[in-house]
Amino acid sequence: MYLGDVAWPDLEEYFETESLALVPLGSTEQHGPHLPEATDHLIAEAFAREAADRTGYLCTPTINVGVSPHHKQFHGTMWADAPVFRDYVESITRNLAYHGIDRVIYVNAHGGNVEHLREVGRRLRDDEVLYAIEWMWDESIPDLVDDLFEQNGPHGGPKETSMIQYLDPQLVHEDRLEDARDGGVASVEASETVKHGSRTFFDAADNTENGVLGDQTDATAEKGERLFEAATDQLVQLAEWLAGRDFEDLLPRDHV
């Protein structure tokens, strides 16, 4: 069930009988010359809505702008400063707690959000407001990602390209896939910006001229469908596992 489609009287039964919500989050940032800036939030919302449809759990509206200052050199990238992002996510999560939700899955598709979502989850758990955890789609199926792509690329690579080819193919510039590959780099290692164990880069532009890594020509919609189905299955299982826990068992343990 998508919260934004429902009139408020029709939500009463859900909040009386269920306690879990899916909150999709992504970013609005460059994804190279071939993918839309909406890539991450399109992927996050697709997973959250599909899992909600399969389980009956509540899906909230998507948070479309994330922590993305490391992509700022490329036209159109939007970002929230990290402290502001954390406070905003915490605030809207507390909204859900007000209505009776006591467990949340942040359905995330942007790596720059991960540490901040985990911090928000810690704050809310320490305050015993609710239990909120971060889920990242590709981290739920690492073996499949590795099997499908020789070089999947951490950003704008074939895994994200395949996902958008499957979810919304008209947004992919198929005629730019070779340019994306040739104008980027294969991996962070190939950019040689890790020196003696130190990550000497701060921005995507420090690693890649066109903003992406990996071999985008290795992407297909068929691979995207396999990724989507496999990761959705993992998200559904996570939601069902979390819904089945006693809330008291999710709270911090007492001091030893």
Side-chain angles (χ1 to χ4, degrees):
M1 174 170 44
Y2 179 66
L3 186 151
D5 289 341
V6 184
W8 73 261
D10 303 318
L11 287 165
E12 181 178 5
E13 181 179 357
Y14 185 87
F15 289 123
E16 287 181 346
T17 59
E18 300 289 351
S19 59
L20 186 144
L22 303 166
V23 178
L25 307 96
S27 68
T28 300
E29 65 182 24
Q30 72 84 18
H31 274 77
H34 63 301
L35 290 179
E37 304 227 346
T39 291
D40 286 345
H41 70 251
L42 290 174
I43 292 172
E45 182 167 333
F47 278 121
R49 281 183 175 253
E50 182 66 20
D53 287 345
R54 295 186 189 186
T55 61
Y57 293 126
L58 186 70
C59 173
T60 74
T62 304
I63 297 175
N64 291 337
V65 176
V67 182
S68 303
H70 49 297
H71 294 289
K72 64 188 177 184
Q73 288 89 349
F74 297 92
H75 301 310
T77 291
M78 300 182 69
W79 68 92
D81 291 335
V84 176
F85 176 80
R86 290 193 295 266
D87 288 347
Y88 177 74
V89 173
E90 179 178 348
S91 178
I92 65 169
T93 307
R94 287 179 181 270
N95 297 170
L96 295 171
Y98 176 81
H99 294 297
I101 296 297
D102 64 16
R103 58 207 76 190
V104 164
I105 299 174
Y106 294 128
V107 181
N108 180 38
H110 173 51
N113 293 340
V114 172
E115 63 181 293
H116 308 291
L117 294 174
R118 288 189 57 80
E119 172 60 24
V120 171
R122 173 174 287 281
R123 290 183 191 177
L124 294 167
R125 181 172 180 257
D126 286 349
D127 289 348
E128 300 188 1
V129 173
L130 52 68
Y131 183 82
I133 52 175
E134 183 267 346
W135 177 85
M136 185 81 172
W137 72 271
D138 55 326
E139 293 181 1
S140 76
I141 49 169
D143 292 341
L144 179 59
V145 171
D146 288 342
D147 288 344
L148 289 180
F149 308 109
E150 183 175 345
Q151 176 48 257
N152 59 66
H155 183 74
K159 63 185 177 185
E160 290 182 321
T161 303
S162 293
M163 286 291 296
I164 301 300
Q165 285 173 322
Y166 170 63
L167 294 172
D168 200 342
Q170 65 179 350
L171 296 179
V172 181
H173 296 273
E174 297 284 347
D175 59 332
R176 299 178 185 174
L177 296 183
E178 290 187 6
D179 289 341
R181 177 197 62 196
D182 297 341
V185 294
S187 64
V188 172
E189 291 76 17
S191 69
E192 299 182 347
T193 52
V194 177
K195 304 292 186 183
H196 311 292
S198 176
R199 292 159 56 101
T200 66
F201 59 93
F202 286 90
D203 297 329
D206 298 333
N207 285 322
T208 165
E209 290 295 323
N210 69 358
V212 293
L213 302 96
D215 182 357
Q216 291 73 19
T217 65
D218 197 20
T220 67
E222 291 73 23
K223 291 179 180 180
E225 182 176 15
R226 289 185 62 187
L227 294 170
F228 185 76
E229 290 299 322
T232 299
D233 182 63
Q234 291 297 307
L235 179 56
V236 166
Q237 291 186 58
L238 175 61
E240 292 174 342
W241 170 85
L242 184 56
R245 305 279 73 76
D246 290 332
F247 182 63
E248 292 73 17
D249 294 337
L250 299 173
L251 296 177
R253 297 187 181 187
D254 293 333
H255 190 287
V256 295

